[in-house]
């Protein structure tokens, strides 16, 4: 957590709509650069840090603006390749490292913990259906969310129904 706090201001980003007077973010982005690794545990650790911070921001945004993201996006960069120096000196900086991103639906509100976000991100990074496949060597990971949708207002009737079910469950649990 301390690692994340130390760099959050430097790597976090929000995109704003130019027409929005209230400066409502149109996306949230967090990322880390690190030493090259292809270890599942190390990549999982970085993804978990990113997921925890992203979920905190999503919760704050949801409370403030009554909306929820529909899209999760994973961004990553590979390690330097053999032609790095040649491409650098030739000015072909776009060819220095492999940069990619993929997206999927954001985990639903009822099942939105760090583990679910990490699992979704790993499914984007690994070949489909092969969660134990070797990872590519990575030097940067990022998570972002966007495509926000309004959170539907709950009716008084639905809240009363939920309250009734909760009271019935409590009474049943307390019965001998």
């Amino acid at each position: 957590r301390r690692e994340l706090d130390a760099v959050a201001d430097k790597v976090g980003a929000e995109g704003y709509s130019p027409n929005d007077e209230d400066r409502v973010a149109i996306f949230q982005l967090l990322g880390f650069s690190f030493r090259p690794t292809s270890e599942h545990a190390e990549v999982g650790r970085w993804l978990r840090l990113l997921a925890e911070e992203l979920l905190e921001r999503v919760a704050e945004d949801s409370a403030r603006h009554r909306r929820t993201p529909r899209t999760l996006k994973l961004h990553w960069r590979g390690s330097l390749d053999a032609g790095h120096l040649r491409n650098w000196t030739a000015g072909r900086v776009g060819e220095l490292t492999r940069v990619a991103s993929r997206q999927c639906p954001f985990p639903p509100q009822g099942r939105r913990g760090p583990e679910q976000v990490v699992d979704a991100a790993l499914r984007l990074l690994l070949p489909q259906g092969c969660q134990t496949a070797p990872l590519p060597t990575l030097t940067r990971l990022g998570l972002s969310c966007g495509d926000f949708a309004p959170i539907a207002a709950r009716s008084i009737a639905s809240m009363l129904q939920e309250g009734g079910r909760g009271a019935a469950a409590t009474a049943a649990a307390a019965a001998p």
Side-chain angles (χ1 to χ4, degrees):
R1 179 78 188 147
R2 274 185 258 148
E3 293 172 66
L4 188 60
D5 291 337
V7 296
D9 290 335
K10 294 180 183 176
V11 298
E14 293 180 337
Y16 294 98
S17 167
N19 301 324
D20 216 337
E21 293 177 10
D22 293 332
R23 292 188 44 87
V24 176
I26 56 174
F27 70 87
Q28 301 278 344
L29 169 66
L30 294 159
F32 282 118
S33 293
F34 43 82
R35 295 180 193 273
T37 185
S38 59
E39 296 293 322
H40 277 264
E42 185 73 7
V43 170
R45 186 176 76 81
W46 287 114
L47 285 172
R48 183 166 182 90
L49 287 169
L50 290 167
E52 288 171 351
E53 178 65 22
L54 185 64
L55 288 170
E56 283 182 26
R57 291 182 182 204
V58 165
E60 290 170 9
D61 186 86
S62 294
R64 183 176 300 124
H65 301 294
R66 301 286 306 146
R67 65 188 189 152
T68 187
R70 292 187 285 197
T71 304
L72 174 69
K73 193 169 193 177
L74 173 70
H75 313 266
W76 71 90
R77 179 182 67 193
S79 61
L80 302 178
D81 60 15
H84 178 81
L85 181 59
R86 182 181 66 248
N87 288 331
W88 177 264
T89 56
R92 295 189 301 263
V93 294
E95 300 173 29
L96 296 179
T97 56
R98 181 171 180 256
V99 178
S101 63
R102 291 192 183 135
Q103 65 185 32
C104 66
F106 204 88
Q109 283 184 301
R111 294 171 293 188
R112 193 177 275 179
E115 297 81 20
Q116 290 75 23
V117 173
V118 170
D119 288 346
L122 285 172
R123 284 193 300 274
L124 294 170
L125 188 57
L126 294 167
Q128 191 166 2
C130 194
Q131 296 299 304
T132 58
L135 290 167
T137 300
L138 302 170
T139 58
R140 178 184 299 152
L141 285 170
L143 285 178
S144 66
C145 64
D147 188 24
F148 291 91
I151 296 174
R154 294 175 44 202
S155 70
I156 292 174
S158 69
M159 287 188 269
L160 290 173
Q161 277 183 327
E162 288 177 16
R165 274 187 261 144
T170 303

